[in-house]
């Protein structure tokens, strides 16, 4: 048998691995922000989307860095113009992912991370089915409560509201692709790295279905 029958063209044997749109969700205080920062230190080309929100900034937060803090009218204007990839009301405030920076980073071949709530995650799944959805859980609810208190950014009432919401958010778990338990931080970061690498090598992302006969 002729070798060219067995082997496709050399170029096809080393296809470019795809970049990914990654959604990271999970209860407030579980450690999403901490995990993402740790991941970005090792993968600086990954683009972290800066969300828009109508929430007031915390004392440690900078406009344009942690969030783009907007008046409600401005947020609604963006939403109506279709400038948000997804948006949701979370804990009484509006949050959304600006579409253009995400599309630009993806077009540049960069991975993009959206750190967003489950309502937003499910909207992304509908709009972009190939997105990879990761759900982060704490080792226990007691530990989640401890982390939220230790962060000292929320009043006791707001902490209680966030803990109640955490139990509701869990209902979306079956619609996510991967579960991470953020117990030991380094292990959770390593798990994200493994998932991203495995997804990059998924055959359906590399070889379009209609080219399934590429080895003939
Ligand atoms: P989120 O972004 O999900 O709201 P944060 O990243 O702000 O959560 O983390 C909440 C608190 O938990 C922070 O004080 C952070 O330092 C702490 N934290 C995060 N991950 C861990 C972990 N694996 N073990 C212990 N504490 C953690
Ligand atoms: P926080 O106010 O603690 O920064 O965030 C509250 C919640 O809003 C978190 O669950 C966070 O993931 C979520 N969130 C942040 N940005 C966005 C966004 O752009 N879209 C959606 N849907 N949720 C977001």
């Amino acid at each position: 048998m002729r070798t060219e029958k067995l082997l496709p063209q050399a170029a096809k044997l080393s296809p470019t691995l795809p970049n990914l749109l990654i959604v990271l969700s999970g209860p407030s205080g579980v450690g999403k922000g901490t995990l993402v920062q740790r991941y970005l230190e090792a993968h600086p080309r990954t683009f972290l989307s800066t969300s828009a929100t109508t929430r007031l900034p915390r004392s440690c937060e900078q406009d344009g860095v942690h969030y783009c803090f907007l008046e409600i009218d401005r947020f609604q204007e963006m939403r109506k113009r279709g400038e948000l990839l997804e948006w949701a009301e979370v804990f009484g405030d509006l949050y959304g992912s600006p579409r253009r920076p995400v599309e630009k980073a993806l077009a540049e071949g960069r991975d993009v991370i959206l750190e967003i709530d489950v309502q937003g995650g499910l909207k992304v799944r509908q709009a972009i089915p190939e997105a990879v959805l990761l759900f982060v859980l704490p080792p226990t609810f007691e530990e989640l409560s401890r982390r939220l208190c230790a962060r000292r950014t929320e009043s006791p009432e707001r902490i209680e509201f966030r803990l109640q919401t955490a139990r509701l958010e869990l209902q979306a778990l079956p619609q996510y692709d991967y579960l991470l338990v953020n117990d030991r931080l380094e292990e959770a970061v390593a798990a994200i790295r493994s998932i991203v690498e495995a997804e990059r090598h998924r055959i359906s992302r590399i070889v379009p279905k209609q080219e399934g006969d590429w080895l003939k």
Side-chain angles (χ1 to χ4, degrees):
M1 196 179 286
R2 291 171 56 201
T3 43
E4 58 268 35
K5 267 278 181 198
L6 284 174
L7 298 173
Q9 292 166 359
K12 279 190 171 179
L13 275 179
S14 52
T16 313
L17 294 178
N19 53 319
L20 305 173
L21 176 59
I22 301 153
V23 169
L24 193 73
S25 301
S28 177
V30 73
K32 300 180 295 294
T34 311
L35 279 170
V36 166
Q37 285 312 320
R38 217 37 102 77
Y39 182 85
L40 291 179
E41 281 165 20
H43 303 84
R45 222 178 104 73
T46 302
F47 177 78
L48 173 63
S49 164
T50 304
S51 296
T53 183
T54 60
R55 167 166 81 60
L56 292 174
R58 297 174 183 141
S59 56
C60 58
E61 289 177 331
Q62 267 178 281
D63 188 27
V65 178
H66 299 91
Y67 282 104
C68 293
F69 294 98
L70 302 179
E71 299 290 333
I72 291 189
D73 289 353
R74 174 75 188 106
F75 188 99
Q76 296 291 21
E77 208 176 280
M78 285 184 79
R79 184 179 66 74
K80 285 184 195 147
R81 285 194 190 145
E83 291 172 11
L84 299 175
L85 180 61
E86 60 73 37
W87 70 277
E89 184 177 334
V90 192
F91 309 126
D93 290 302
L94 303 179
Y95 294 80
S97 309
R99 182 189 297 278
R100 210 176 308 152
V102 170
E103 289 178 349
K104 181 170 177 285
L106 286 173
E108 288 168 357
R110 299 170 70 182
D111 289 340
V112 172
I113 298 185
L114 302 178
E115 190 203 314
I116 60 179
D117 90 313
V118 294
Q119 304 171 75
L122 297 180
K123 284 184 191 168
V124 171
R125 159 95 334 139
Q126 275 191 331
I128 307 169
E130 59 273 24
V132 186
L133 271 57
L134 276 59
F135 199 105
V136 189
L137 277 183
T140 62
F141 273 99
E142 289 70 30
E143 173 62 11
L144 180 64
S145 173
R146 197 196 64 73
R147 287 183 194 171
L148 269 174
C149 294
R151 196 170 67 181
R152 295 174 181 275
T153 54
E154 252 64 44
S155 64
E157 295 76 33
R158 284 182 72 92
I159 289 180
E160 187 49 41
F161 186 29
R162 285 177 182 232
L163 287 171
Q164 283 172 12
T165 306
R167 294 183 189 272
L168 290 177
E169 286 171 325
L170 264 178
Q171 293 172 7
L173 188 60
Q175 291 165 79
Y176 272 63
D177 298 311
Y178 293 96
L179 170 63
L180 296 166
V181 177
N182 180 20
D183 189 356
R184 290 171 194 265
L185 187 65
E186 290 312 324
E187 286 177 17
V189 176
I192 297 179
R193 205 171 294 141
S194 304
I195 292 165
V196 168
E197 275 316 299
E199 283 290 333
R200 231 191 270 298
H201 291 263
R202 197 182 268 281
I203 288 174
S204 59
R205 291 186 188 279
I206 300 170
V207 185
K209 286 223 163 43
Q210 61 271 28
E211 287 184 26
D213 59 349
W214 72 322
L215 280 179
K216 280 182 191 161

